[in-house]
Amino acid sequence: MAKIDFSAQIEYLLFTGAIRGEAIFRLHSLLKSYEQGTVSAEEMQEAINDFNPDLYVELPPDEM
């Protein structure tokens, strides 16, 4: 899963009003951690799914 895919999902949540306040900062922090390799793609997707399960994306086995 590319960083841009996570960014697009977070942007969608932001513009649809699904995330507000502290949740925005939480996802931003997780995205930065993902970029640095300290958070897995699976963890990143789970955090996004917590706000909108309809955005669920099946991760390929090599990205888990």
Side-chain angles (χ1 to χ4, degrees):
M1 177 78 41
K3 177 186 79 164
I4 192 76
D5 294 332
F6 291 133
S7 297
Q9 291 180 61
I10 293 168
E11 186 177 83
Y12 174 81
L13 293 173
L14 181 62
F15 290 131
T16 60
I19 58 173
R20 295 183 181 158
E22 191 63 34
I24 296 168
F25 295 111
R26 178 174 169 248
L27 287 177
H28 174 75
S29 176
L30 279 172
L31 183 60
K32 292 299 180 187
S33 295
Y34 171 73
E35 291 172 349
Q36 296 173 355
T38 58
V39 171
S40 71
E42 184 178 67
E43 291 172 305
M44 190 72 222
Q45 190 63 56
E46 286 176 8
I48 292 170
N49 293 345
D50 287 344
F51 295 101
N52 187 346
D54 292 335
L55 290 177
Y56 177 76
V57 175
E58 185 70 37
L59 296 174
D62 64 330
E63 298 233 5
M64 293 183 151

